[in-house]
């Protein structure tokens, strides 16, 4: 019997994924699920054939340069791969894959939760009930923003952006979008394309950020762009925290320029800008976009499908390097 490929798995995996992985690989797992330092990851990578990593593992050029020669493939348990320097991997001939498609619906669902949560003051309402500060029904108590029939701008109309738009249509929202290239009419589904994001922003009663993270989009939502939005607009982010200039967003939430925000992702998460915690008009979630049992199993299986393909000598299904 040929020996099974040796894997380093940097974080704990869902049980069903672990079961399948153990059947095909000799794996070093991380049972207490701690975040590994670069030094620990490099030490444990010695003698392994591949890594199964997550968005918290920073695969920098420096780390790639020090990876043992035995590492031939890196599969990330995520669709986003801004944590992986794919150029450095390509230079070393190391293959890499991600997990697109399978988390589209779960992430779009969370975007709608954020839109409603921010617009309808879910955090304040929840707190009032729990803390017994709710005194009585009143015609003016905790009024929010109406979502049905409003305009939604989607920044980044890829798979997840399109799924957000699809859900928003059920709320009779008019969809505007910016994307690097215009979608075909069958994908656009009547959404209004803007050739520049700046042109779209004045039409955004709601703005959903769905573009990839990384240097190109770092702090994309800054003070100038927020100023272009209608007063009282709502921003939600299920993509990557780095797309938002936190100081600009916090200032706009404090001044009332924006009515509210809903955020599932943060720059430097979990160490988010502490000012968010003091704002009652921001609905906060701890990066739960893909956090359903079905979705996390599907992501793990997709990572394994790619590893299986690689070790069987087949092309990767979802290559990123
Ligand atoms: C991803 O896959 O990139 C997500 O952010 C994880 O939820």
């Amino acid at each position: 019997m040929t020996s099974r490929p040796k894997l380093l798995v940097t974080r704990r995996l869902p049980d069903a994924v672990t079961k399948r992985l153990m059947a095909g690989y000799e794996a070093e797992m991380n049972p207490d699920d701690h975040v590994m330092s670069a030094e620990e990851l490099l030490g444990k990578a010695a003698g392994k054939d591949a890594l199964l990593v997550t968005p918290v593992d920073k695969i920098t050029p420096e780390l790639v340069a020090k990876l043992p020669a035995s590492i031939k493939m890196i599969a990330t348990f995520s669709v986003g791969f801004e944590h992986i320097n794919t150029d450095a991997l390509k230079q070393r001939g190391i293959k890499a894959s991600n997990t697109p498609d399978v988390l589209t619906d779960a992430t779009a669902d969370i975007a709608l939760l954020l839109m409603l949560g921010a617009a309808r003051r879910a955090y304040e309402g929840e707190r009032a009930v729990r803390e017994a500060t709710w005194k009585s029904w009143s015609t003016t108590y905790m009024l929010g923003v109406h979502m049905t029939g409003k305009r939604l701008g989607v920044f980044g109309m890829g798979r997840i952006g399109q799924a957000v738009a699809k859900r928003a249509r059920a709320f009779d929202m008019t969809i505007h979008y910016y994307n690097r290239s215009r979608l075909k009419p069958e994908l656009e589904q009547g959404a209004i394309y803007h050739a520049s994001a700046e042109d779209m922003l004045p039409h955004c009663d709601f703005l959903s950020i769905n573009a990839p993270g990384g240097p190109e989009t770092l702090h994309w939502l800054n003070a100038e762009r927020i100023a272009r939005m209608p007063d009282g607009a709502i921003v939600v982010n299920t993509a990557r925290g780095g797309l938002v200039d936190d100081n600009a967003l916090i200032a706009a939430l404090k001044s009332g320029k924006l009515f509210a925000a809903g955020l599932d992702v943060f720059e430097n998460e979990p160490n988010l800008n502490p000012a968010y915690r003091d704002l009652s008009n921001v609905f906060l979630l701890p990066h739960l976009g893909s956090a359903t049992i079905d979705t996390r199993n599907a992501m793990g299986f997709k990572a394994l499908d790619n590893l299986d393909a690689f070790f069987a000598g087949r092309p990767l299904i979802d290559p990123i390097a």
Side-chain angles (χ1 to χ4, degrees), residues 62 73-74 134 141 180 206 267 291 294 305:
E62 297 72 36
M73 155 95 188
I74 298 181
W134 175 39
Y141 180 57
R180 268 185 301 195
F206 287 74
E267 191 160 31
D294 294 358
D305 290 345

Side-chain angles (χ1 to χ4, degrees), residues 15 42 56 63 94 134 149 158 185 239 261 266 286 301:
D15 289 347
L42 284 168
V56 303
L63 185 137
I94 298 173
W134 175 39
F266 305 89
F301 294 147

Side-chain angles (χ1 to χ4, degrees), residues 55 77-80 99 103 239-240 287 289-290 296 299:
F77 193 115
S78 61
V79 64
T99 64
L103 46 72
R240 284 292 183 265
H287 203 149
S290 62
R296 288 287 165 84
M299 291 168 75

Side-chain angles (χ1 to χ4, degrees), residues 20-38:
R20 176 174 148 191
L21 178 141
M22 288 304 189
Y25 296 87
E26 193 180 309
E28 177 166 352
M29 308 297 279
N30 177 359
D32 71 12
D33 203 27
H34 66 279
V35 176
M36 290 186 190
S37 65

Side-chain angles (χ1 to χ4, degrees), residues 53-266:
V53 303
T54 72
V56 303
D57 304 302
K58 306 297 172 218
I59 311 298
T60 62
E62 297 72 36
L63 185 137
V64 173
K66 292 183 192 157
L67 279 174
S70 60
I71 297 291
K72 300 171 215 62
M73 155 95 188
I74 298 181
T76 183
F77 193 115
S78 61
V79 64
F81 56 91
E82 75 294 330
H83 55 293
I84 297 180
N85 191 298
T86 51
D87 288 340
L89 290 182
K90 283 176 196 160
Q91 274 171 21
R92 283 206 50 188
I94 298 173
K95 300 284 180 207
S97 64
N98 68 340
T99 64
D101 300 315
V102 292
L103 46 72
T104 300
D105 287 329
T107 308
D109 290 350
I110 283 276
L112 269 285
L113 174 64
L114 293 178
M115 287 165 67
L116 282 166
R120 301 302 297 274
R121 304 175 64 172
Y123 161 69
E124 291 170 89
E126 231 265 341
R127 199 177 48 173
V129 175
R130 282 185 197 279
E131 295 178 359
T133 56
W134 175 39
K135 298 298 174 216
S136 137
W137 186 92
S138 144
T139 60
T140 55
Y141 180 57
M142 217 175 270
L143 303 185
V145 163
H146 202 71
M147 189 162 111
T148 297
K150 295 286 174 61
R151 299 168 296 177
L152 168 67
V154 179
F155 177 66
M157 196 64 145
R159 286 171 284 247
I160 298 173
Q162 289 169 45
V164 172
K166 178 179 172 188
R167 285 155 177 73
R169 284 188 196 98
F171 287 81
D172 293 332
M173 298 185 88
T174 306
I175 313 299
H176 294 251
Y177 76 99
Y178 167 76
N179 200 49
R180 268 185 301 195
S181 50
R182 186 170 180 168
L183 302 184
K184 293 188 179 129
E186 60 271 27
L187 296 178
E188 218 170 46
Q189 295 277 314
I192 299 158
Y193 176 64
H194 296 267
S196 91
E198 283 65 30
D199 289 347
M200 174 183 77
L201 290 169
H203 304 277
C204 297
D205 301 317
F206 287 74
L207 170 69
S208 176
I209 299 177
N210 295 106
E216 277 180 40
T217 52
L218 185 68
H219 296 174
W220 170 76
L221 189 66
N222 56 20
E224 292 72 36
R225 293 198 170 99
I226 291 172
R228 299 180 79 87
M229 297 181 68
D231 291 345
I234 288 172
V235 170
V236 303
N237 188 7
T238 53
R240 284 292 183 265
L243 279 103
V244 171
D245 173 344
D246 288 328
N247 290 328
L249 180 60
I250 288 162
L253 290 166
K254 282 186 175 164
S255 71
K257 164 67 188 171
L258 295 175
F259 179 79
L263 305 175
D264 184 47
V265 287
F266 305 89

Side-chain angles (χ1 to χ4, degrees), residues 273-286:
N273 188 316
Y276 283 125
R277 296 199 180 97
D278 298 329
L279 290 173
S280 56
N281 58 344
V282 58
F283 184 64
L284 303 169
L285 292 177

